[in-house]
Amino acid sequence: MLLKMLKSKLHRARVTQTRLNYPGSILIDSALMKKAGILPYEGVLVADLNNGNRVETYAVPAKAGSGEIIVLGAAARRVKKNHIVIIFSFCYCTTAEARKLKPKVILLDKHNKIINRK
């Protein structure tokens, strides 16, 4: 049996922009993606702390060091500019692997700079 487990999260990221008329995804500063272990085009879950909405999409790398978190496509109707979000990535593991798993947790400041990581 495989279990769906938290692999990593970018905690308290601030949405810098939204673009409704764009094929859906989320642009994320590629340096943040690398720190969290999120690969280009990997599926992610975005939880909006301002309104409780959750959106499933995929991550696309933005310029490293830009601090960009840009919600694209239909998700832009659910998540707005300046909202605070948590971006989760998951993996499937055996029970034995799951017991050893330590998710990467990256806490961000209001400029999407890393404050702390675990």
Side-chain angles (χ1 to χ4, degrees), residues 4 24-26 42-47 53-59 72 74-75 78-79 88 90 92:
K4 183 177 180 180
S25 58
I26 185 169
E42 180 176 345
V44 294
L45 177 66
V46 180
N53 288 333
R54 287 178 171 241
V55 177
E56 191 170 349
T57 188
Y58 58 94
L72 304 168
R78 312 293 288 170
V79 180
F88 300 93
F90 298 93
Y92 290 93

Side-chain angles (χ1 to χ4, degrees), residues 5-11 13 28-40 42-44 59 69 86-91 101-108 114 116-118:
M5 302 294 294
L6 178 67
K7 183 179 81 165
S8 65
K9 70 177 179 173
L10 294 168
H11 193 76
I28 303 171
D29 177 323
S30 60
L32 295 176
M33 287 177 61
K34 185 174 181 178
K35 292 285 184 189
I38 299 172
L39 297 175
E42 180 176 345
V44 294
I69 303 289
I86 304 170
I87 302 168
F88 300 93
S89 71
F90 298 93
C91 61
L101 181 66
K102 295 200 190 260
K104 292 181 182 180
V105 177
I106 313 294
L107 179 60
L108 303 175
I114 296 173
N116 192 3
R117 58 180 180 192
K118 296 178 184 179

Side-chain angles (χ1 to χ4, degrees), residues 13 16-17 24-26 40 43 54 65 68 77 83 85 95 118:
T16 57
Q17 192 178 146
S25 58
I26 185 169
R54 287 178 171 241
E68 288 185 321
R77 294 203 184 274
H83 280 196
V85 298
T95 302
K118 296 178 184 179

